[in-house]
Amino acid sequence: MDTHLIALDWGTSSLRAYRLGAAGETLEVRGLPLGVMQLDGCEADFERALEQACGDWQSAAPQAPMIACGMVGSAQGWREARYIEAPLRADELTLLPIERSHGMPLWLVPGVIQRGGVPNVMRGEETQVFGLLDGDDSQLAPLLIGLPGSHSKWVTVEGGQLSRFQTFMTGEVYQALLGHTILGRTAVTSDSFNAAAFERGLRVARSSEGQAGPLSTIFSSRTLVLTGELSGAAQADYLSGLLIGHELAAMSAMLQVPPSQSIVLIGNSTLCARYLWALEHCGFESLRFAPEATAAGLWKIAAGAGLVATDTAGESDVSPHACH
């Protein structure tokens, strides 16, 4: 099947490549441990990683344009694609071309910045957001999109526009607390999920004790084990519920989210399942999980920039005016 776009999600630890067809459908996917932090940062190293990920696709379809989102466009990446200010639409993402010694240029999707007293940024999540909005009727009404992860994002979309967002370092803090503080000394590794412990963490975050904030309540993940009220095997799930509960409480207060707000989660299904449980526990009513939307977002951004055509014949084309 013909390749009309080679799309890359190039993050910190991994590189995922998508071969897309005439209507943006995914024909093939590859994942490699070649994120920007696994490379030495020189031009040749990025070229080698690109060749390893999709060199055969380029050889078979030399005119197919290439687009990439994520940390590859950061200051630590191949080339820095400067942030675009929110609010914005998908077609306002001005792409940065990397001219290469051979083959098609690689077009980089810029990140998004929200300015203010405390600036906020994202790279890669904007592509998932716009991918979800492609053909989604809910984009006409206010929509809250959650992207759980190491740095969880909560993105407000209004009228199809990415209007504002908040970041919570919940996942990274969770790993750091268990791996590098005294809290981890009482934790026992377990392969099973302790739902009761997770829900207890949620309750504590929403309780009067929880009003003191996570810097106060996280110590309870140790004291509950020391007093025999919680097993060491349940400690990690309790701490997970506690941190996610605090995240949702802060997000709700900052964004003034009513229980009827439509919320969509994108990301790892196991982690999203925890967030869906937590959101239900917090009283939210309109919830759903969406599959990973990066490929759809990269296709939409490429089409908006003129890299691919989206006519009824399904022919793809590279525009000489794209993205300059």
Side-chain angles (χ1 to χ4, degrees):
M1 300 178 71
D2 289 342
T3 301
H4 286 250
L5 182 69
I6 296 172
L8 307 170
D9 179 9
W10 206 331
T12 302
S13 59
S14 63
L15 166 59
R16 177 165 289 192
Y18 303 88
R19 186 167 66 88
L20 304 181
E25 72 276 18
T26 299
L27 305 176
E28 192 175 350
V29 182
R30 293 173 181 168
L32 298 91
L34 296 174
V36 298
M37 298 307 291
Q38 276 65 53
L39 306 176
D40 63 16
C42 70
E43 187 102 5
D45 211 25
F46 281 102
E47 281 284 6
R48 282 191 293 269
L50 187 64
E51 173 67 23
Q52 187 175 340
C54 56
D56 56 331
W57 296 350
Q58 297 176 73
S59 298
Q63 298 306 310
M66 294 193 299
I67 186 172
C69 69
M71 290 299 287
V72 67
S74 71
Q76 293 74 41
W78 193 339
R79 199 74 47 81
E80 185 174 7
R82 297 194 178 277
Y83 294 108
I84 306 295
E85 287 193 37
L88 78 162
R89 298 179 183 276
D91 57 8
E92 295 175 300
L93 288 167
T94 304
L95 306 187
L96 174 71
I98 296 179
E99 301 293 343
R100 302 163 58 232
S101 58
H102 64 281
M104 297 291 285
L106 176 64
W107 297 90
L108 300 184
V109 178
V112 177
I113 186 168
Q114 179 176 272
R115 299 196 183 276
V118 181
N120 216 331
V121 297
M122 64 168 67
R123 280 196 189 275
E125 292 92 350
E126 75 294 320
T127 300
Q128 292 231 58
V129 167
F130 289 124
L132 174 70
L133 296 182
D134 192 12
D136 190 340
D137 292 336
S138 63
Q139 65 184 293
L140 301 177
L143 178 67
L144 183 62
I145 301 175
L147 300 105
S150 295
H151 301 167
S152 296
K153 304 287 184 182
W154 291 93
V155 182
T156 302
V157 174
E158 297 171 295
Q161 185 179 62
L162 192 162
S163 61
R164 61 189 185 278
F165 60 96
Q166 294 292 333
T167 301
F168 296 86
M169 291 181 60
T170 307
E172 187 166 350
V173 168
Y174 170 79
Q175 294 294 340
L177 288 173
L178 286 179
H180 301 284
T181 75
I182 197 171
L183 300 184
R185 298 296 181 91
T186 48
V188 177
T189 302
S190 175
D191 293 330
S192 61
F193 172 58
N194 191 311
F198 179 77
E199 190 164 315
R200 184 172 187 172
L202 293 175
R203 288 199 304 272
V204 170
R206 299 185 66 202
S207 70
S208 57
E209 290 88 349
Q211 293 178 14
L215 291 181
S216 172
T217 59
I218 56 176
F219 194 56
S220 66
S221 70
R222 174 175 170 82
T223 58
L224 287 171
V225 176
L226 294 177
T227 56
E229 297 182 53
L230 194 70
S231 70
Q235 184 179 353
D237 287 322
Y238 169 81
L239 182 61
S240 173
L242 188 66
L243 292 175
I244 291 173
H246 278 298
E247 176 187 332
L248 296 184
M251 178 274 292
S252 301
M254 293 176 72
L255 301 180
Q256 295 293 296
V257 182
S260 60
Q261 171 67 58
S262 294
I263 300 176
V264 182
L265 296 184
I266 310 175
N268 174 275
S269 59
T270 301
L271 183 57
C272 283
R274 292 193 178 212
Y275 273 77
L276 285 170
W277 186 335
L279 286 162
E280 288 179 353
H281 182 85
C282 293
F284 291 99
E285 304 160 356
S286 180
L287 307 171
R288 65 185 176 94
F289 168 69
E292 195 268 346
T294 302
L298 286 167
W299 176 265
K300 184 175 185 179
I301 293 168
L307 292 181
V308 292
T310 56
D311 57 25
T312 55
E315 296 298 325
S316 99
D317 185 34
V318 180
S319 166
H321 306 295
C323 317
H324 292 295

